[in-house]
Amino acid sequence: MLIRIVEILFPLFSITALGYFVGRRVKPDLSHANKLNMDVFVPALVFAALANKAFDIGAFLPLIGAATLMVVGTGLAAWALARAIGIDPKTLVPPIMFNNCGNLGLPLAVLAFGEAALAPMVVLFMVSNLIHFSFGAWLLDHRVRLLTVWKVPSVVATFLGLAVSLTHFEVWPPLLTAIRMLGEISIPLMLFGLGVRLADSRISALGIGVLGGGLARPLIGLALAWAVLQVIELPQREQALVLVFGALPPAVLNFMFAERYQQEPGKVASMVLIGNLAAVVFLPLALALVLE
C-alpha cells in the first residue's frame, strides 16, 4: 500500500519540481493562469466529479454532517493554534482546514476500498470544496460577500453537478469526457504554480511548513475524525473514509487562494509541499488503522 501511495504522490512532486526549476530561472507571472485555473479548470473538475456518479443524497446526510463538523472543527483548532504561536490565522488556518481530498483523496479511496468508495469520497470532497470557496475565500478577504457566493464558478459547478446526479440526468458522454479533461488541467497547473512560488520562498518558511502542513494538519484531522465518529453513526466504509479524510495533507488549492489574496503565499506553499511529503507517513498509518 505504501508503494501505491508513493505512486500517486510521485507525479505531484515531479510537476512541482519542474515548476521550482522554471521559477528559479525565469520567474514567470502566473497570476492570470491561476485565475483561469480557479474560475474555469477547477469548476470543470468539480462538475465532472459530481456528474459522473449518481447519488442518493439522502443516504449520505450523516456523512455530510460528519464532513462539515470535521472541516469546521479543524478550522477552529487551527485558529487556536495560530493565536497561541503568534502566526496570522489567515495564513495557518486554510492549509489545516482544507485538505487534499480531490486529486489525492479520490484516487486513494478507490485504491484502498474499491469503486464503491468513490461516491462517499466525492461527498467529502464536495463539502470541503463548498466551504473552501465560500468561508475560505471570506476568511482571506472580508470583502467577499457570503450572500453572493453562489456566483463563484466552483460553487455553481457543485450545484450543477449535484443537480445532474440527483435527477440521474445523463450528460452526453463525449461532453462529460471533454469537461473532465478540461478539469484535469487544473491539477498540473496548480502543482506547477506551487513549484514556481517555492522558488521564491525563504528557508525560514520551512518551520511553519513542518508545523502547519507536516504535523498539525494530519494530527488535528485524525483527532477530529475520531471525535466525530463518536457522535455520528456511519457505515463501516464511511467510517474508514472519514479517518482517511482526516489524515489527508493540505490541498494544493490553498496555495492558489493565498496567491490570489496575497496572504503570505510562500509560507502556504511550504505548508502544502511539506504536508504532502509527510503524507507518505501519515496516510499508511491511517490506512493501517482502518484496514486491519
Side-chain angles (χ1 to χ4, degrees), residues 4-269:
R4 297 300 300 275
I5 292 173
V6 172
E7 288 177 352
I8 295 174
L9 290 171
F10 180 75
L12 278 63
F13 296 140
S14 299
I15 299 171
T16 303
L18 175 62
Y20 181 86
F21 176 81
V22 173
R24 293 287 291 179
R25 286 155 179 78
V26 182
K27 300 188 182 302
D29 180 6
L30 296 180
S31 56
H32 295 294
N34 289 340
K35 188 176 188 306
L36 180 66
N37 204 6
M38 292 185 70
D39 293 343
V40 178
F41 300 145
V42 171
L45 182 70
V46 172
F47 175 82
L50 293 173
N52 195 41
K53 199 76 176 177
F55 294 111
D56 177 6
I57 198 67
F60 289 122
L61 288 178
L63 182 61
I64 291 173
T68 303
L69 284 176
M70 286 186 62
V71 175
V72 173
T74 50
L76 291 173
W79 178 83
L81 177 63
R83 295 299 297 268
I85 62 179
I87 296 175
D88 189 343
K90 291 183 179 181
T91 299
L92 185 65
V93 170
I96 294 178
M97 190 173 183
F98 304 111
N99 61 21
N100 197 351
C101 54
N103 55 311
L104 177 57
L106 293 174
L108 181 62
V110 175
L111 168 68
F113 307 103
E115 286 292 332
L118 182 59
M121 195 66 202
V122 167
V123 170
L124 293 170
F125 167 68
M126 176 194 71
V127 172
S128 180
N129 195 68
L130 274 176
I131 298 175
H132 201 168
F133 277 90
S134 53
F135 174 78
W138 175 85
L139 177 65
L140 294 177
D141 184 358
H142 288 353
R143 292 173 297 179
V144 174
R145 301 179 62 184
L146 294 180
L147 292 178
T148 59
V149 74
W150 59 271
K151 297 180 180 179
V152 176
S154 284
V155 175
V156 173
T158 298
F159 288 120
L160 287 176
L162 276 177
V164 169
S165 293
L166 290 172
T167 59
H168 293 220
F169 177 79
E170 185 176 353
V171 180
W172 186 42
L175 176 60
L176 185 59
T177 299
I179 294 173
R180 184 172 61 249
M181 292 176 66
L182 184 67
E184 288 172 351
I185 297 173
S186 66
I187 297 173
L189 186 56
M190 278 191 286
L191 295 168
F192 183 82
L194 174 66
V196 170
R197 169 52 64 181
L198 285 170
D200 289 332
S201 296
R202 296 176 298 176
I203 296 299
S204 59
L206 289 177
I208 184 63
V210 172
L211 174 64
L215 296 175
R217 168 54 238 167
L219 292 176
I220 292 174
L222 283 169
L224 259 294
W226 178 86
V228 166
L229 291 176
Q230 306 310 303
V231 297
I232 297 181
E233 186 175 350
L234 295 172
Q236 185 174 1
R237 180 185 291 114
E238 293 178 18
Q239 291 181 30
L241 287 172
V242 164
L243 283 169
V244 171
F245 181 79
L248 289 169
V252 179
L253 196 59
N254 288 301
F255 156 71
M256 295 190 64
F257 271 88
E259 186 82 23
R260 168 173 282 192
Y261 296 108
Q262 291 301 299
Q263 183 59 45
E264 300 187 288
K267 291 182 178 179
V268 174

Side-chain angles (χ1 to χ4, degrees), residues 2 5-6 9 214-215 218 222 247 274-288:
L2 176 60
I5 292 173
V6 172
L9 290 171
L215 296 175
L222 283 169
I274 294 176
N276 279 271
L277 285 170
V280 177
V281 174
F282 284 101
L283 286 179
L285 289 176
L287 289 171

